[in-house]
């Protein structure tokens, strides 16, 4: 289980980050957050879906990386099989949050992460100033925060335009059992085809039209997930995955 502490030179000056161990952390994420700015690139690797944030207040984009919680088929024996790692992974083992009292943004570090070590990239110099490595991580965290805000605004617009369509995944296993997985959504193709010229131009100007088409095309990456699933978990081998309009 992650254990986050507010990053401090006084508390964490003796720890380092072993980047080679981060892929082990990735193995626990069956859904990865993807931001709008990286969706086109991520679509070449993963099947992309819309999903609601944990508090259900806004939409996010998620890469489907596994068929069960805490299973990521793109990680095996500490190796990341993807050619691309999204911002949500590259910022680990750090996250940011807004302090409830000061409303200031603070950086947290997961001290239970497998990447925490006495060897690797130190976080602070003897003077207690951040190392170049930590400065790079801070910039990535800032980039991700800005990207998350941009994503939330743009996906809200897509939702208001009726372009988000809830679906269920029907997983057909080789032992002839089925499993229905909900909580995901994809592009509403019927609504997309019905957009008028002004709406299409607006989406294109914001770069959203390209994102929508790439998300639709990314569905074929489900075949890659099936292949990786059958290699990593042969006891739960999959024949096929279908999509149905959500019944909930």
């Amino acid at each position: 289980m992650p254990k986050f502490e507010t990053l401090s030179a006084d508390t964490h000056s003796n720890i380092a980050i072993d980047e080679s161990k981060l892929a082990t952390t990735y193995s626990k994420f069956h859904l990865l957050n993807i931001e709008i700015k990286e969706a086109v690139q991520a679509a070449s690797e993963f099947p992309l879906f819309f999903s609601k944030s944990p508090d259900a207040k806004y939409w996010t984009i998620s890469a489907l990386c596994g068929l069960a919680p805490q299973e990521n088929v793109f990680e095996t024996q500490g190796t990341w099989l993807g050619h691309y790692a999204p911002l949500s992974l590259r910022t680990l083992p750090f996250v940011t949050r807004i302090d409830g009292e000061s409303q200031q943004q603070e950086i947290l570090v997961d001290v239970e992460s497998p990447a925490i070590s006495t060897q690797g990239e130190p976080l602070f110099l003897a003077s207690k100033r951040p190392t170049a490595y930590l400065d790079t991580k801070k910039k990535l965290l800032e980039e991700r925060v800005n990207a998350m805000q941009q994503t939330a605004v743009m996906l809200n617009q897509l939702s208001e335009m009726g372009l988000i369509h809830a679906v269920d995944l029907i997983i057909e296993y080789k032992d002839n059992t089925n499993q229905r997985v909900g909580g995901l959504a994809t592009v509403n193709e019927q609504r997309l085809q019905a957009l008028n010229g002004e709406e299409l131009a607006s989406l294109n100007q914001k770069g959203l039209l390209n994102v929508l088409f790439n998300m639709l095309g990314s569905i074929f990456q489900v075949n890659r997930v099936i292949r990786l699933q059958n290699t990593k978990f042969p006891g739960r081998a999959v024949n096929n995955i279908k999509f149905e309009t959500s019944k909930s």
Side-chain angles (χ1 to χ4, degrees), residues 120-185:
E121 299 286 352
L123 303 181
F124 295 98
L125 302 170
S127 63
K128 295 190 176 181
R129 291 181 59 83
T131 61
Y133 171 81
L134 182 55
D135 280 337
T136 298
K137 285 287 188 177
K138 286 181 175 180
K139 290 177 182 177
L140 278 176
L141 286 164
E142 183 178 354
E143 180 183 351
R144 190 185 176 205
V145 168
N146 293 334
M148 289 172 68
Q149 293 170 345
Q150 178 192 45
T151 299
V153 170
M154 289 187 168
L155 294 192
N156 182 61
Q157 178 184 352
L158 295 181
S159 178
E160 290 179 346
M161 295 177 69
L163 287 166
I164 298 179
H165 175 66
V167 294
D168 289 344
L169 274 60
I170 312 300
I171 305 172
E172 299 178 345
Y173 293 96
K174 288 189 176 181
D175 63 3
N176 295 319
T177 61
N178 294 338
Q179 179 185 5
R180 181 180 290 268
V181 178
L184 299 176

Side-chain angles (χ1 to χ4, degrees), residues 42-49 62-64 67 74 169 186-187 189 212-228 239-243:
S44 67
E45 289 267 7
F46 319 103
L48 301 185
F49 295 89
S62 293
L64 181 68
L67 302 181
F74 286 83
L169 274 60
T186 188
V187 179
E189 290 186 74
L212 292 174
F213 285 132
N214 274 274
M215 286 188 68
L216 282 171
S218 77
I219 298 302
F220 293 105
Q221 298 293 347
V222 164
N223 294 321
R224 185 183 187 193
V225 172
I226 291 174
R227 290 194 300 271
L228 293 174
N239 265 335
N240 191 27
I241 297 179
K242 297 179 180 178
F243 304 94

Side-chain angles (χ1 to χ4, degrees), residues 36 40 50 150-164 187-216:
I36 281 280
V40 172
F50 300 110
Q150 178 192 45
T151 299
V153 170
M154 289 187 168
L155 294 192
N156 182 61
Q157 178 184 352
L158 295 181
S159 178
E160 290 179 346
M161 295 177 69
L163 287 166
I164 298 179
V187 179
N188 186 335
E189 290 186 74
Q190 186 175 2
R191 172 63 181 132
L192 180 61
Q193 292 171 2
L195 294 177
N196 60 42
E198 184 177 343
E199 290 172 322
L200 287 169
S202 175
L203 290 176
N204 188 50
Q205 185 179 24
K206 296 174 182 178
L208 287 172
L209 201 57
N210 194 26
V211 169
L212 292 174
F213 285 132
N214 274 274
M215 286 188 68
L216 282 171

Side-chain angles (χ1 to χ4, degrees), residues 63-81:
L64 181 68
C65 294
L67 302 181
Q70 297 195 15
E71 291 183 359
N72 187 330
V73 298
F74 286 83
E75 181 278 340
T76 182
Q77 298 180 347
T79 299
W80 179 243
L81 302 179

